[in-house]
Amino acid sequence: MSESQHILFRLNEEEREHLRSQIGIGGFQQKFFADKNRLDAETGEIRLTDCELGKIIRYCSYGPGGFQNELRRIFKRSIDDLLRGQREK
């Protein structure tokens, strides 16, 4: 089995606020938002494993829902940039 790769995202202030406001009450939701230290509050940087990114993309593809909507608010811009190859260096 291969080792997970990490993807660095830089969230803007609005996205950071949405991430900080999450409580999380469910499997992935609880695990993902449990560690508030994952986000560098100063730079907005957060590292995701490729597995976590895959789960986020899958959740974002589901229909409307509270958790799905929050993930879209937090990560949609960064994922769109990643897919277009327009990431910050």
Side-chain angles (χ1 to χ4, degrees):
M1 185 162 27
S2 66
E3 195 172 307
S4 287
Q5 299 294 314
H6 285 86
I7 300 100
L8 177 69
F9 288 106
R10 189 168 291 121
L11 304 179
N12 64 34
E13 187 57 39
E14 183 179 342
E15 293 161 341
R16 286 181 236 174
E17 285 303 315
H18 282 294
L19 181 62
R20 283 187 220 121
S21 69
Q22 298 309 302
I23 296 170
I25 53 163
F28 176 66
Q29 183 176 357
Q30 186 174 16
K31 179 180 180 252
F32 185 79
F33 292 119
D35 184 3
K36 299 290 186 182
N37 295 321
R38 311 176 57 136
L39 175 68
D40 183 318
E42 189 173 312
T43 65
E45 291 179 346
I46 186 168
R47 290 188 189 281
L48 303 175
T49 66
D50 51 1
C51 182
E52 290 171 328
L53 178 58
K55 287 180 180 181
I56 288 170
I57 291 170
R58 189 169 54 250
Y59 276 100
C60 286
S61 71
Y62 296 163
F67 182 54
Q68 295 90 326
N69 292 345
E70 288 304 316
L71 285 177
R72 286 184 201 104
R73 284 185 188 112
I74 297 165
F75 293 108
K76 183 178 182 328
R77 180 191 56 82
S78 296
I79 292 170
D80 285 350
D81 288 351
L82 174 68
L83 293 174
R84 282 193 219 109
Q86 299 174 348
R87 295 187 45 132
E88 290 182 35
K89 303 288 184 214

